[in-house]
Amino acid sequence: GDRIIIGGNIRSIGIVEVYEYAGGSTWNQLGSDFTGNNGNLSKLGRSVDINALGDIIVIGANSYVDTVASDAGSVVAYKWTGTSWSQLGQRMEGASANYNWGEGLAINAAGTQIAIGTRNDKIEVFQWNGFNWVNSHTVTEGTLSSWGRRVTCDASGATLISNSMNGSGLQVKENPTLQIISSTDGDDLPVTNISWNNAARFINWLNTRQGYE
């Protein structure tokens, strides 16, 4: 697309910027910087994503100190008004201390669904109802492997992919409306010990996401 979002963890405070392509080698910043809270070292921008049109963004601050406890984390969505970014719906906050809500983050193409990962083997899925973000699904892994630290989704949001910091294999989970593909080989390792069908399913998803036939 013509817009990109960039998150940076500067001194554990964090900064996020959005840019729009202006032609040639020029990218112009769209709106002002988003910066984390200096007092609680929120790590704003640990995870970011943008919808297909580039008019809705989501920003995670996994160490945000909310009304609950330290390192509970938070996620906020914003919509482009034509001149600035305006908060879209409520701030979504972690449920307890060290929940690290927003460690992983993904938004679908339409900007109507957000998947939020934690370090606690859990992904929470929220749907936009026109006024607020409503929790529609909770997906748990249950192996204490920090599953959910990285999250991505296909255009519709019906397929989520997540990995963890340890373990092995590719796990596929399904419920009535979501298919979950989970890599547990960590951030820097290839996926191993998977079935042919699961590998083919992942390649088909990736081809669709990249626009290949």
Side-chain angles (χ1 to χ4, degrees), residues 25-130:
S25 59
T26 302
W27 290 84
N28 294 327
Q29 186 169 348
L30 200 65
S32 303
D33 291 353
F34 296 88
T35 55
N37 186 311
N38 189 32
N40 61 33
L41 304 180
S42 60
K43 294 184 180 179
L44 183 87
R46 172 75 178 191
S47 58
V48 295
D49 205 1
I50 188 169
N51 71 333
L53 288 178
D55 63 343
I56 298 176
I57 60 174
V58 283
I59 300 175
N62 71 315
S63 292
Y64 178 82
V65 178
D66 65 6
T67 56
V68 178
S70 175
D71 288 339
S74 76
V75 171
V76 181
Y78 297 89
K79 185 175 179 63
W80 181 247
T81 66
T83 57
S84 63
W85 294 102
S86 177
Q87 185 170 325
L88 185 67
Q90 79 280 21
R91 177 185 295 274
M92 293 162 279
E93 300 180 348
S96 60
N98 301 313
Y99 202 76
N100 293 120
W101 183 265
E103 179 79 8
L105 191 58
I107 190 170
N108 67 349
T112 56
Q113 177 183 292
I114 299 173
I116 303 173
T118 75
R119 291 186 183 180
N120 299 310
D121 307 309
K122 182 181 293 186
I123 295 175
E124 303 274 3
V125 180
F126 288 78
Q127 305 283 344
W128 178 247
N129 67 3

Side-chain angles (χ1 to χ4, degrees), residues 101-160:
W101 183 265
E103 179 79 8
L105 191 58
I107 190 170
N108 67 349
T112 56
Q113 177 183 292
I114 299 173
I116 303 173
T118 75
R119 291 186 183 180
N120 299 310
D121 307 309
K122 182 181 293 186
I123 295 175
E124 303 274 3
V125 180
F126 288 78
Q127 305 283 344
W128 178 247
N129 67 3
F131 303 96
N132 282 299
W133 298 98
V134 179
N135 186 286
S136 60
H137 298 86
T138 298
V139 185
T140 57
E141 218 297 303
T143 61
L144 301 179
S145 59
S146 294
W147 182 81
R149 294 185 76 245
R150 299 291 181 270
V151 183
T152 188
C153 68
D154 66 352
S156 69
T159 299
L160 304 180

